[in-house]
Amino acid sequence: MFERFTKDARSLVTTAVGWAEADDSARVDALHLLTAVVDSGRTAAGTGALDLLAAIDARPGVITDRVSELRRYGGLSEADRRALRDLGIDVDTVVARVEDRHGEGALAAGTADAGDPGRRRNRWHLPFGDDAKRVLEASLREAQDVRDDAIGGEHILSALATVPGPAADVLAAVGASPDRLRRALLQRRNTV
Amino acid sequence: MTNATELATQAGDSDPRTGLRAVAALRRLLERLEAVQVRSARVHGWSWQEIADELGVSRQAVHKKHGRR
């Protein structure tokens, strides 16, 4: 499937792997992909995903802020926390206790206090989580649905909105629903 | 929400979506908690074998997942 990815989409995926490595994750997840969409290091050059966000008036900075807030909760969105509260699990308390003992932002992790500083994880061995795999698979469908030949960052963004989970929740909160994104994709195709 | 699901909620039926969402969220939280606790144990000088014993998994499994850090 990766052979159909544009250079832009490949750079997005590589950036996501870099973020997963940086926050000490065992897997690359959908939130890492979303972080890569709005990564300032990447965005300087301009990307298909950012153009699509601009087309629907969604601000990348707001997404960055929301994702880092979610990270502090171990990658759990408000909807996730509400669902757990329904079960009697108060995530706010869990986060407060963990941060008490292991420092602020402990669940967001980071390698600063990691055990073996000399031994770096080999990024190419970091596997994709199920959610990230589903997003990448869905990006192919997003491209097919609007009859685009190659899979670009904009299709990964559109796919992120369709796979249920915290990344889709963040996108929904900034008004980037699957419908709006797909309409913007179609519109772009008609005007190019 | 459709009328039918609204009625179901009012009648006290739990929404399967909320339950499933809670399971998925718990799984993600678990992964992060494990990373924090394993890191903390390593900082406290625990061996991979000791950590694996507490987690109830093999030493190889825990080292593969957390080792190259």
Side-chain angles (χ1 to χ4, degrees):
Chain A
M1 189 178 68
F2 282 109
E3 67 277 0
R4 294 190 58 180
F5 277 43
T6 62
K7 208 173 148 195
D8 174 45
R10 285 171 204 222
S11 135
L12 194 159
V13 173
T14 307
T15 305
V17 176
W19 278 108
E21 188 189 35
D23 74 12
D24 209 13
S25 291
R27 293 180 186 82
V28 184
D29 62 28
L31 273 181
H32 293 125
L33 287 170
L34 183 58
T35 305
V37 164
V38 290
D39 186 305
S40 56
R42 248 174 51 79
T43 54
T47 66
L50 280 186
D51 291 345
L52 188 60
L53 281 178
I56 60 161
D57 286 325
R59 302 258 296 278
V62 180
I63 295 178
T64 309
D65 291 349
R66 285 197 180 245
V67 170
S68 46
E69 196 209 324
L70 291 203
R71 285 288 179 206
R72 193 166 171 183
Y73 288 93
L76 269 54
S77 69
E78 260 170 64
D80 291 329
R81 283 173 258 160
R82 224 178 300 125
L84 284 174
R85 203 173 305 130
D86 198 57
L87 262 187
I89 299 170
D90 182 2
V91 179
D92 290 335
T93 306
V94 174
V95 172
R97 293 271 164 84
V98 172
E99 291 197 341
D100 256 8
R101 282 156 209 177
H102 303 279
E104 195 170 301
L107 281 173
T111 50
D113 58 350
D116 310 312
R119 305 172 68 191
R120 302 293 303 165
R121 177 182 284 276
N122 180 345
R123 63 171 56 193
W124 299 111
H125 290 160
L126 209 55
F128 284 90
D130 287 342
D131 60 341
K133 278 186 208 160
R134 282 218 307 284
V135 168
L136 295 177
E137 284 158 14
S139 69
L140 172 64
R141 280 196 300 279
E142 294 296 310
Q144 283 169 343
D145 282 358
V146 297
R147 295 169 180 254
D148 285 334
D149 298 326
I151 302 165
E154 62 272 34
H155 303 112
I156 297 178
L157 169 61
S158 188
L160 276 164
T162 66
V163 174
D169 292 342
V170 169
L171 286 172
V174 301
S177 67
D179 281 356
R180 276 190 82 191
L181 287 168
R182 208 166 294 172
R183 268 203 304 275
L185 276 177
L186 279 168
Q187 217 160 27
R188 181 198 65 157
R189 183 168 175 80
N190 293 338
T191 51
V192 167
Chain B
M1 213 189 257
T2 67
N3 281 340
T5 57
E6 238 160 18
L7 282 174
T9 308
Q10 279 162 15
D13 292 358
S14 56
D15 183 355
R17 195 186 300 274
T18 307
L20 293 170
R21 165 68 76 139
V23 173
L26 202 50
R27 201 177 282 143
R28 280 197 305 279
L29 185 59
L30 173 72
E31 288 287 325
R32 296 316 306 180
L33 278 174
E34 185 178 305
V36 170
Q37 299 299 348
V38 169
R39 196 164 55 226
S40 165
R42 288 296 290 170
V43 168
H44 282 86
W46 283 45
S47 71
W48 291 111
Q49 187 62 60
E50 287 170 316
I51 294 170
D53 288 347
E54 283 299 325
L55 289 176
V57 298
S58 73
R59 190 188 64 79
Q60 287 84 351
V62 78
H63 189 262
K64 184 172 180 228
K65 195 163 166 192
H66 301 281
R68 286 182 298 268
R69 290 185 179 174

